[in-house]
């Protein structure tokens, strides 16, 4: 076992246990904190996959924004989030069966695929030595996001989507002012 | 070295745990947490496929960034809906929100 494999296995175990706690914990504040742990594990996987920028974005966007938003929502709806209610609905048995069945079907279908045991090739760019590789990849990513030959339209659409989500969530969550009858 | 299969199996497990959360939880916020887990599993798959099958291009990372943006928009609107429903009905249990049930 190489050190990388050991790191992978530890991170995978922590992430999956935290994910299980997210979907089974009665107390939603605890579930949200386990969600933070699970998202952090995913950030470690991005580092292992040599996508360091995505790891940083994962920490900022998911842990810094989305998880905190979740905790705020849990606290604003505090009464129902308390521990005395049952967390799972009456379909929980079926849900577990479907999830486990889907997992086994996925693993069986993937193991039949010839590329399943592919090893990663060395990450390289022509004319760039390994010390500058991270910066070169980041520059390439940024150029692809704003280049008309690549992804400028999805990039602009994403910005419009975020603006629409911002305005939409403001409108939806705005407190209704009582009109006189 | 780590083969691609490890990442794929891990992502499948994370996706299925998230799916269980979406199907089995009562609380609407907990359902959104399950959706977040599923989106993360998809992101790991996208980046793993980029790293193992097409590392000479950068497109896999661009797809992952799009997923980040859509996830942020989704969770903002979703939580606004939950808070709006809570304000009107004083519940966020998904099986009690049945105003549109015929």
């Amino acid at each position: 076992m190489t050190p990388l494999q050991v790191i992978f296995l530890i991170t995978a175990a922590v992430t999956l246990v935290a994910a299980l706690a997210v979907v089974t914990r009665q107390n939603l504040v605890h579930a949200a904190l386990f969600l933070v742990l699970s998202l952090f594990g995913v950030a470690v996987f991005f580092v292992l996959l040599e996508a360091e920028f995505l790891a940083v974005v994962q920490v900022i966007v998911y842990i810094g924004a989305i998880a905190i938003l979740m905790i705020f929502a849990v606290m604003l709806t505090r009464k129902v989030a308390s521990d005395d209610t049952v967390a799972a609905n009456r379909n929980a048995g079926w849900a577990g069966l479907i999830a486990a069945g889907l997992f086994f079907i996925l693993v069986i279908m993937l193991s039949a695929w010839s590329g399943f045991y592919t090893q990663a090739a060395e990450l390289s760019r022509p004319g760039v030595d390994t010390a500058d590789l991270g910066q070169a990849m980041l520059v390439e990513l940024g150029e692809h996001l704003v280049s008309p030959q690549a992804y400028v339209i999805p990039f602009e659409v994403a910005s419009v989507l975020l603006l629409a989500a911002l305005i939409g969530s403001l409108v939806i969550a705005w407190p209704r002012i009582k009109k006189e009858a | 070295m780590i083969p691609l299969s490890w990442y794929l199996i891990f992502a499948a497990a994370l996706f299925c745990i998230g799916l269980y959360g979406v199907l089995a939880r009562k609380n609407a916020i907990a359902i959104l947490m399950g959706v977040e887990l599923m989106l993360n599993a998809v992101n790991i798959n996208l980046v793993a496929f980029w790293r193992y099958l097409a590392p000479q291009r950068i497109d896999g990372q661009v797809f992952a960034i799009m997923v980040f943006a859509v996830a942020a928009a989704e969770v903002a609107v979703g939580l606004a809906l939950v808070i709006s429903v809570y304000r009107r009905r004083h519940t966020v249990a998904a099986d009690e929100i049945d105003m549109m049930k015929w």
Side-chain angles (χ1 to χ4, degrees), chain A residues 91-168:
Chain A
N91 301 324
W94 283 111
L97 206 64
I98 289 172
L102 179 68
F103 176 69
F104 284 113
I105 292 171
L106 277 175
V107 170
I108 289 168
M109 285 179 71
L110 282 170
S111 59
W113 172 50
S114 61
F116 194 42
Y117 298 106
T118 313
Q119 292 286 352
E122 196 69 37
L123 204 57
S124 65
R125 289 290 181 273
V128 180
D129 58 317
T130 42
D132 301 331
L133 189 62
Q135 198 184 356
M137 302 276 297
L138 194 54
V139 168
E140 193 183 340
L141 179 63
E143 279 171 353
H144 269 72
L145 275 177
V146 293
S147 150
Q149 278 84 43
Y151 293 101
V152 70
I153 291 174
F155 183 73
E156 295 296 334
V157 170
S159 65
V160 172
L161 173 77
L162 284 172
L163 181 67
L166 173 70
I167 297 171

Side-chain angles (χ1 to χ4, degrees), chain A residues 7-8 10-12 14-16 18 34-48 58-59 63, chain B residues 10 14 40 44:
Chain A
I7 292 172
F8 182 99
I10 292 171
T11 316
V14 169
T15 310
L16 289 181
F34 276 113
L35 182 70
V36 169
L37 183 60
S38 187
L39 297 175
F40 205 83
V42 174
V44 174
F45 280 114
F46 286 148
V47 174
L48 282 176
Q58 168 90 4
V59 171
I63 301 174
Chain B
F10 167 78
L14 192 62
N40 269 280
I44 288 195

Side-chain angles (χ1 to χ4, degrees), chain A residues 88-102, chain B residues 16 19-24:
Chain A
N89 61 26
R90 61 184 184 283
N91 301 324
W94 283 111
L97 206 64
I98 289 172
L102 179 68
Chain B
C16 291
L19 180 68
Y20 171 79
V22 170
L23 291 177

Side-chain angles (χ1 to χ4, degrees), chain A residues 26-108:
Chain A
Q26 305 274 27
N27 188 328
L28 272 184
V29 178
H30 291 179
L33 293 176
F34 276 113
L35 182 70
V36 169
L37 183 60
S38 187
L39 297 175
F40 205 83
V42 174
V44 174
F45 280 114
F46 286 148
V47 174
L48 282 176
L49 285 164
E50 296 176 77
E52 296 86 0
F53 178 68
L54 290 184
V56 174
V57 172
Q58 168 90 4
V59 171
I60 293 174
V61 172
Y62 266 105
I63 301 174
I66 291 180
I68 301 304
L69 210 56
M70 290 269 181
I71 292 172
F72 265 109
V74 169
M75 288 174 170
L76 286 173
T77 58
R78 185 65 196 157
K79 199 182 69 191
V80 278
S82 58
D83 314 28
D84 53 334
T85 51
V86 183
N89 61 26
R90 61 184 184 283
N91 301 324
W94 283 111
L97 206 64
I98 289 172
L102 179 68
F103 176 69
F104 284 113
I105 292 171
L106 277 175
V107 170
I108 289 168

Side-chain angles (χ1 to χ4, degrees), chain A residues 1-2 4-5 8-9 11-12 15-16 19-26 28 31-32 35 38-39 42 45-46 48-51 53-54 57-58 61-62 66 69-70 73-74 76-81 86-92 95-96 98-99 102-103 106-107 110 113 115-123 125 137 140-141 144-145 151 154-155 158 161-162 165 169 172-176, chain B residues 1-37 39-41 43-45 47-88 90-96 101:
Chain A
M1 278 244 211
T2 64
L4 272 184
Q5 288 179 329
F8 182 99
L9 289 178
T11 316
T15 310
L16 289 181
L20 276 175
V22 170
V23 296
T24 52
R25 273 296 173 125
Q26 305 274 27
L28 272 184
L35 182 70
S38 187
L39 297 175
V42 174
F45 280 114
F46 286 148
L48 282 176
L49 285 164
E50 296 176 77
F53 178 68
L54 290 184
V57 172
Q58 168 90 4
V61 172
Y62 266 105
I66 291 180
L69 210 56
M70 290 269 181
V74 169
L76 286 173
T77 58
R78 185 65 196 157
K79 199 182 69 191
V80 278
V86 183
N89 61 26
R90 61 184 184 283
N91 301 324
I98 289 172
L102 179 68
F103 176 69
L106 277 175
V107 170
L110 282 170
W113 172 50
F116 194 42
Y117 298 106
T118 313
Q119 292 286 352
E122 196 69 37
L123 204 57
R125 289 290 181 273
M137 302 276 297
E140 193 183 340
L141 179 63
H144 269 72
L145 275 177
Y151 293 101
F155 183 73
L161 173 77
L162 284 172
S169 48
I172 291 168
W174 201 267
R176 289 282 177 274
Chain B
M1 288 301 288
I2 303 165
L4 176 60
S5 54
W6 291 24
Y7 287 103
L8 297 186
I9 290 172
F10 167 78
L14 192 62
F15 186 88
C16 291
I17 291 171
L19 180 68
Y20 171 79
V22 170
L23 291 177
R25 291 296 286 235
K26 255 185 181 170
N27 193 307
I29 300 172
I31 292 174
L32 277 176
M33 289 184 194
V35 174
E36 292 307 313
L37 289 177
L39 284 168
N40 269 280
N43 251 353
I44 288 195
N45 259 0
V47 179
F49 277 124
W50 161 74
R51 180 68 188 83
Y52 282 78
L53 298 182
Q56 67 280 6
R57 306 175 56 128
I58 201 78
D59 309 56
Q61 291 200 26
V62 178
F63 292 157
I65 285 179
M66 294 299 156
V67 174
F68 279 131
V70 173
E74 171 254 337
V75 80
V77 176
L79 290 177
L81 280 171
V82 168
I83 286 172
S84 178
V85 166
Y86 178 74
R87 193 177 282 140
R88 285 149 190 253
H90 294 281
T91 179
V92 290
D95 48 0
E96 289 171 26
K101 204 166 172 182

